[in-house]
Amino acid sequence: MTPPKDPPQDPHNHPTFDRLYDAEVYLDKQVGTIIREARTAIGLSQENILTLMGLPPEQLEEHETGEIGLSVARLHVIWPCLDLSPAELFERLPAITFTHLGPRRF
């Protein structure tokens, strides 16, 4: 089951989730968007970054669309290529809310 495209919002406009899986899918998509924006901001094509990382073309596309989440090891390889620090990535992620826990920043 896939989460809704636009998750419900709490009073602070944080996306709200009932299940961890739904939050993971949402955050994978957000990370992919951040990676794509960082790549295009410095003028790297998908082919350029694929060469730097040694990934097959379909894998980068799946990471950038959030279909496949990025492991910490893969992020560690991508950050220097994109001139993006781990702190910058996490600062750009939205705070989320679990209905039973309240707001959380990941």
Side-chain angles (χ1 to χ4, degrees), residues 20-84:
L20 179 60
Y21 171 78
D22 295 338
E24 288 174 344
V25 170
Y26 175 79
L27 290 172
D28 283 344
K29 289 182 186 295
Q30 298 302 310
V31 168
T33 298
I34 293 166
I35 297 296
R36 182 175 42 257
E37 289 170 353
R39 177 182 57 76
T40 58
I42 61 173
L44 278 178
S45 68
Q46 284 188 337
E47 292 78 21
N48 296 140
I49 199 161
L50 289 168
T51 301
L52 291 169
M53 295 177 56
L55 288 176
E58 64 278 356
Q59 243 183 28
L60 181 61
E61 181 68 28
E62 290 170 339
H63 287 314
E64 287 188 349
T65 60
E67 292 176 45
I68 297 177
L70 285 157
S71 68
V72 172
R74 179 93 13 111
L75 282 169
H76 189 68
V77 171
I78 290 175
W79 286 322
C81 298
L82 299 176
D83 196 25
L84 179 70

